[in-house]
């Protein structure tokens, strides 16, 4: 049996280099425009807070903040925090926890 190529989903954080790639929508692949990828993709923002600490926040494609990180002493440490979150989230499970009585 011959295998056919499957459509490719654009990677997150690809910097808009997705023109010509295709995503699977139903069973029919369609081209994806750069603007659409920008709306779909979330992004991490690293910034300096008012206290001089560096923090990161994860924003959804619609601009809503969905997660924030702790304060770090340096920008490099904040970037390492982002990398740690990316690695941990890749295989993370979702667990419902009951409140303590």
């Amino acid at each position: 049996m011959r295998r056919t190529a499957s459509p490719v989903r654009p990677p997150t954080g690809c910097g808009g280099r997705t023109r010509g790639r295709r995503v699977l929508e139903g069973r029919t692949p369609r081209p994806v425009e750069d603007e659409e990828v920008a709306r779909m993709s979330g992004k991490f923002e690293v910034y300096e807070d008012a206290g001089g600490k560096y923090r990161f926040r994860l924003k959804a494609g619609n601009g809503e903040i969905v997660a924030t990180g702790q304060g770090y002493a340096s920008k490099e440490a904040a970037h390492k925090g982002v990398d740690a979150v990316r690695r941990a989230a890749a295989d993370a499970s979702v667990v419902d926890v009951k409140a303590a009585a």
Side-chain angles (χ1 to χ4, degrees):
M1 175 184 247
R2 196 173 117 191
R3 222 177 204 191
T4 59
S6 62
V8 177
R9 282 190 5 224
T12 57
C14 59
R17 297 182 309 257
T18 58
R19 189 169 302 285
R21 292 190 183 224
R22 298 184 180 278
V23 294
L24 190 61
E25 182 178 90
R27 295 183 64 91
T28 306
R30 63 174 177 78
V32 175
E33 297 299 324
D34 291 337
E35 298 79 26
E36 183 179 3
V37 171
R39 284 193 311 270
M40 293 181 341
S41 300
K43 65 180 175 182
F44 284 96
E45 294 179 340
V46 175
Y47 62 97
E48 187 175 3
D49 68 14
K53 297 278 188 176
Y54 289 90
R55 297 179 179 274
F56 64 84
R57 58 186 163 225
L58 174 59
K59 284 191 170 182
N62 65 0
E64 182 178 340
I65 297 172
V66 294
T68 57
Q70 66 188 42
Y72 294 90
S74 69
K75 187 183 288 189
E76 293 77 21
H79 279 272
K80 287 181 181 179
V82 168
D83 291 339
V85 169
R86 284 179 168 165
R87 285 191 308 273
D91 297 321
S93 59
V94 176
V95 179
D96 291 330
V97 180
K98 293 183 180 183

